[in-house]
Amino acid sequence: MKKRIMKNMWMAGLLFCMCTQLFCSCGRYRPAAKDKVYAGVICYNQNDTFLGQMIECIRKQFERLENDALDITMTIRDSAGSQRTQDDQVKELIDAGCNVLCVNLVDRTDPSEIIDLARENNVPIIFFNREPVAEDMMQWDGLYYVGADAKQSGIMQGEMAVDLIKSNNRIDRNKDGKIQYVVLEGEPGHQDAIIRTENAVDTLKDNKIKLEKLSYGIANWNRAQAQSRMLQMIGQHQNKIELVLANNDDMALGAMDAYSKLNITRENLPVFFGIDGTDVGLEAVLEKELSGTVYNDKEGQAAAIAKLAVAIVSKKGMEDITFKNGKYIYLPYSKVTIDNVSAYLGEYKKNKK
Ligand code: GAL
Ligand code: CA
């Protein structure tokens, strides 16, 4: 008796399976499964001019990728300069169900806690802008990096300075055959600070420009800090400074603020070079106050981040992405001077809409 009941139940089960299979394989009635990307985007400090604009680009790129088969939800967090806060935010976003994270580390040498959390929960991470050291990137195969090559930006800044100095003999204002210069540097330990400085200076030297370094100031990418460092340097060297190399546009603008605060006349001004091509930086190039900047392609980097995030979650399109060493994507920099700035301004106005 028991055997018969079992047999009947088994038969009923089989019949049920056959029916559901028949129903499901009838493509017309099967609703297409949507891919759902829940992206958590965390920024080291949204007061940073370049990063503030870049986060906006990431938001736009994710929006652009949404379609009938793809839902994207993006949550943004600002770590306001604290790695502890950032670690907590990673935990919070993983608990909230994010299936991919885009992390702009506060301390690029200290991602272990974040990596452990991500690996335990199997949530891949795309780091951006602040590059973890290679050993940390090797800790898990769910880790990627999107950024740009610091060396290239330094070389380009140096080349623009070489071109200007060679074509304009008024840069060497005291006519001693040397260019007296100062450097404004970003955060110590950031891959874009020391490498940019070294390569800009080496490029000038390689091109036979005689240099005299008067001083340098660390201003942590920040306009107000750059202004106060520059005020100190002007105090020490008065009108001797002929060239200011800044690791980013905000610091170049801060240096210019110092000169205007002191009401120094135009003929006693040095020439200034920045890096980033932020909105304010591009405007300053257009106004001929900033002699040149190097465009840090935030739109390109944001597009690469969004595309990679979608490919990771949907497990589609990974083969269309070109990586360096299997996990790195670097976007190229480009030079911006008065000759081509309008094209870049046009681009940013277009993106603002
Ligand atoms: C650099 C950028 C700086 C600053 C920094 C923050 O790439 O040039 O302006 O935003 O990143 O990590
Ligand atoms: Ca000189």
Side-chain angles (χ1 to χ4, degrees), residues 5 67 202 227 249 345:
I5 294 175
N67 59 42
D202 288 352
Q227 176 181 325
D249 285 355
L345 276 164

Side-chain angles (χ1 to χ4, degrees), residues 34-40 58-67 69-75 99-100 306-307 309-310:
K34 264 194 166 190
D35 285 318
K36 291 187 194 302
V37 175
Y38 298 101
I58 297 176
R59 197 182 57 74
K60 285 205 185 115
Q61 292 295 338
F62 272 125
E63 260 174 26
R64 226 173 47 90
L65 291 182
E66 260 196 317
N67 59 42
L70 181 64
D71 261 353
I72 304 182
T73 310
M74 170 176 164
T75 308
N99 50 14
V100 61
K307 187 175 171 186
V310 170

Side-chain angles (χ1 to χ4, degrees), residues 12 42 47 107 119 145 159 172 185 191 205 207 238 242 261 268 272 282 291 326 331 349 353:
I42 313 184
N47 284 335
D107 182 349
R119 188 174 32 200
Y145 178 73
E159 285 172 349
D172 178 15
E185 291 199 350
Q191 84 279 346
K205 288 183 183 157
N207 282 279
Q238 289 80 37
E242 297 172 337
K261 198 165 181 185
N268 283 315
F272 304 87
L282 293 176
S291 295
L331 274 288
K349 282 194 178 132
K353 283 184 193 142

Side-chain angles (χ1 to χ4, degrees), residues 5-206:
I5 294 175
M6 287 293 282
K7 197 174 166 201
N8 284 344
M9 276 174 70
W10 193 84
M11 290 288 283
L14 191 70
L15 205 66
F16 175 76
C17 280
M18 279 166 67
C19 286
T20 45
Q21 228 191 358
L22 199 73
F23 187 69
C24 288
S25 60
C26 192
R28 248 179 336 142
Y29 297 109
R30 187 174 53 190
K34 264 194 166 190
D35 285 318
K36 291 187 194 302
V37 175
Y38 298 101
V41 178
I42 313 184
C43 175
Y44 92 103
N45 188 350
Q46 253 179 291
N47 284 335
D48 177 302
T49 308
F50 175 74
L51 257 309
Q53 289 185 219
M54 174 144 185
I55 296 292
E56 191 49 29
C57 291
I58 297 176
R59 197 182 57 74
K60 285 205 185 115
Q61 292 295 338
F62 272 125
E63 260 174 26
R64 226 173 47 90
L65 291 182
E66 260 196 317
N67 59 42
D68 291 347
L70 181 64
D71 261 353
I72 304 182
T73 310
M74 170 176 164
T75 308
I76 302 174
R77 290 285 177 271
D78 178 4
S79 311
S82 158
Q83 189 58 59
R84 275 288 288 280
T85 304
Q86 185 163 78
D87 296 348
D88 293 345
Q89 287 166 333
V90 165
K91 187 159 185 336
E92 177 220 324
L93 291 179
I94 290 178
D95 289 347
C98 283
N99 50 14
V100 61
L101 292 174
C102 310
V103 179
N104 175 226
L105 284 167
V106 176
D107 182 349
R108 61 184 279 266
T109 64
D110 189 17
S112 349
E113 183 142 349
I114 292 181
I115 294 174
D116 289 348
L117 278 167
R119 188 174 32 200
E120 279 159 24
N121 292 280
N122 199 24
V123 179
I125 304 187
I126 304 167
F127 291 109
F128 65 98
N129 170 266
R130 299 161 75 89
E131 185 173 340
V133 293
E135 297 87 86
D136 286 327
M137 287 294 289
M138 301 303 288
Q139 283 193 40
W140 181 39
D141 56 10
L143 305 176
Y144 301 87
Y145 178 73
V146 175
D149 172 20
K151 180 173 177 180
Q152 186 189 35
S153 57
I155 292 175
M156 286 184 170
Q157 188 184 55
E159 285 172 349
M160 287 191 298
V162 169
D163 289 347
L164 186 65
I165 293 164
K166 286 194 172 165
S167 65
N168 184 343
N169 58 15
R170 278 171 312 176
I171 310 291
D172 178 15
R173 292 201 314 275
N174 67 352
K175 306 280 172 247
D176 68 345
K178 286 187 255 173
I179 300 297
Q180 279 70 30
Y181 77 101
V182 301
V183 181
L184 282 164
E185 291 199 350
E187 283 169 273
H190 190 301
Q191 84 279 346
D192 287 340
I194 189 87
I195 298 178
R196 282 179 179 169
T197 304
E198 271 175 16
N199 285 282
V201 171
D202 288 352
T203 303
L204 280 150
K205 288 183 183 157
D206 292 348

Side-chain angles (χ1 to χ4, degrees), residues 184-238:
L184 282 164
E185 291 199 350
E187 283 169 273
H190 190 301
Q191 84 279 346
D192 287 340
I194 189 87
I195 298 178
R196 282 179 179 169
T197 304
E198 271 175 16
N199 285 282
V201 171
D202 288 352
T203 303
L204 280 150
K205 288 183 183 157
D206 292 348
N207 282 279
K208 312 272 177 297
I209 305 285
K210 291 211 172 67
L211 294 174
E212 183 185 352
K213 182 172 182 174
L214 294 181
S215 190
Y216 76 99
I218 294 174
N220 301 306
W221 313 119
N222 180 280
R223 183 166 179 163
Q225 288 184 35
Q227 176 181 325
S228 68
R229 295 290 98 77
M230 197 69 223
L231 284 171
Q232 288 164 355
M233 294 195 278
I234 300 170
Q236 281 170 305
H237 302 285
Q238 289 80 37

